[in-house]
Amino acid sequence: MPDFLLLDDYTVPGFGLTVSLTLPIKDEDASGDSSSTSKAEKGKKGKKLEVKTRIRFKDEDKLTEFMSLAEATGKGDGRLFTITNRVANAAGMRQGRFSGDVKIDPQEGLAMWELSFSLAEHKSVPEMAEDREETPAVAAQQNNGDKVDAAAAPEGSTAETEQLDIFQRGLKKLNDWWG
C-alpha cells in the first residue's frame, strides 16, 4: 500500500514516499560510580517525523509549490500543519511544523530530485498532560523584618563571627586575648 502525507489539505508530491517517526526519550545515568545500569528518565520530548520522497524533473512546479509551503510562516513561527499519515497518526502525532533542513538532492542520472524534510510535533501528548496537571502552590516565606536577637544566637557567637571561617575565628580569639 503506497504511503501518503497530507499537511492540512495539501498532498506532499512525488513517489516512493517514506515516512519514519522518532520519539526522543531523554535519560541520564543514575548509577553514580557503581556498575549499575540504572537510568533516570528526564522526560519524553516531541515526536519528529522524517520524510523522503522523489519528484521528477518534469514536475518542477510541484517542487516549487512544496517549497512555498515549507517556507510559510504563521504568527512568527513556522506554519502549523494538521498531519494526516498512517505512521504519524498511529503514533499520536496530529500537528507539526517544519523543523531542521529541507534538503533537495538532484539525481541527474534518474532525472529526479530526492526531497527530504522533518516535521516536529506541536503540543505533544506528554506536553498536554503536563499542561493539565495542577502546579502545587508555593508556600510564601515570611520575614517580618525583625532583627535576630543576639541571645538567640549560639553561645559565644555574634553576627560578625558567624560569617568568619574557622581560621578567622581562631585569629579573632587570639586577637581578643592579646588585647
Side-chain angles (χ1 to χ4, degrees):
M1 176 177 198
D3 214 350
F4 66 94
L5 174 62
L6 291 173
L7 302 177
D8 290 339
D9 58 348
Y10 175 80
T11 303
V12 174
F15 62 96
L17 181 81
T18 58
V19 177
S20 61
L21 186 130
T22 305
L23 171 62
I25 300 174
K26 301 292 182 187
D27 62 6
E28 189 175 277
D29 182 17
S31 65
D33 290 334
S34 73
S35 60
S36 171
T37 58
S38 298
K39 298 284 183 186
E41 187 176 314
K42 295 291 191 175
K44 293 172 180 66
K45 306 303 177 189
K47 298 172 187 87
K48 192 165 198 170
L49 198 67
E50 304 283 341
V51 182
K52 286 186 181 181
T53 188
R54 298 178 188 104
I55 300 173
R56 292 179 180 88
F57 284 165
K58 68 179 184 173
D59 296 329
E60 184 175 343
D61 58 325
K62 291 180 181 179
L63 181 60
T64 303
E65 184 181 12
F66 173 81
M67 290 306 293
S68 295
L69 185 80
E71 292 172 344
T73 59
K75 297 180 185 173
D77 293 330
R79 182 174 160 198
L80 183 63
F81 296 97
T82 299
I83 299 169
T84 305
N85 174 268
R86 288 183 311 139
V87 173
N89 297 153
M93 184 173 175
R94 304 281 183 244
Q95 292 183 316
R97 54 177 42 108
F98 282 90
S99 173
D101 298 331
V102 174
K103 184 177 178 185
I104 301 169
D105 189 18
Q107 306 290 309
E108 294 296 335
L110 301 173
M112 66 178 187
W113 291 285
E114 187 169 275
L115 172 66
S116 59
F117 61 93
S118 300
L119 297 167
E121 184 175 33
H122 174 74
K123 285 286 190 183
S124 66
V125 172
E127 185 179 3
M128 288 187 286
E130 267 182 24
D131 289 348
R132 284 191 300 267
E133 289 179 9
E134 283 189 34
T135 54
V138 177
Q141 294 183 356
Q142 299 268 334
N143 182 358
N144 299 333
D146 298 334
K147 291 185 177 180
V148 176
D149 185 15
E155 188 178 320
S157 71
T158 65
E160 182 183 324
T161 58
E162 286 293 316
Q163 296 177 1
L164 301 177
D165 66 19
I166 192 166
F167 179 72
Q168 291 171 330
R169 282 190 297 240
L171 287 176
K172 182 166 179 16
K173 283 183 183 180
L174 185 62
N175 190 39
D176 292 345
W177 175 76
W178 210 284

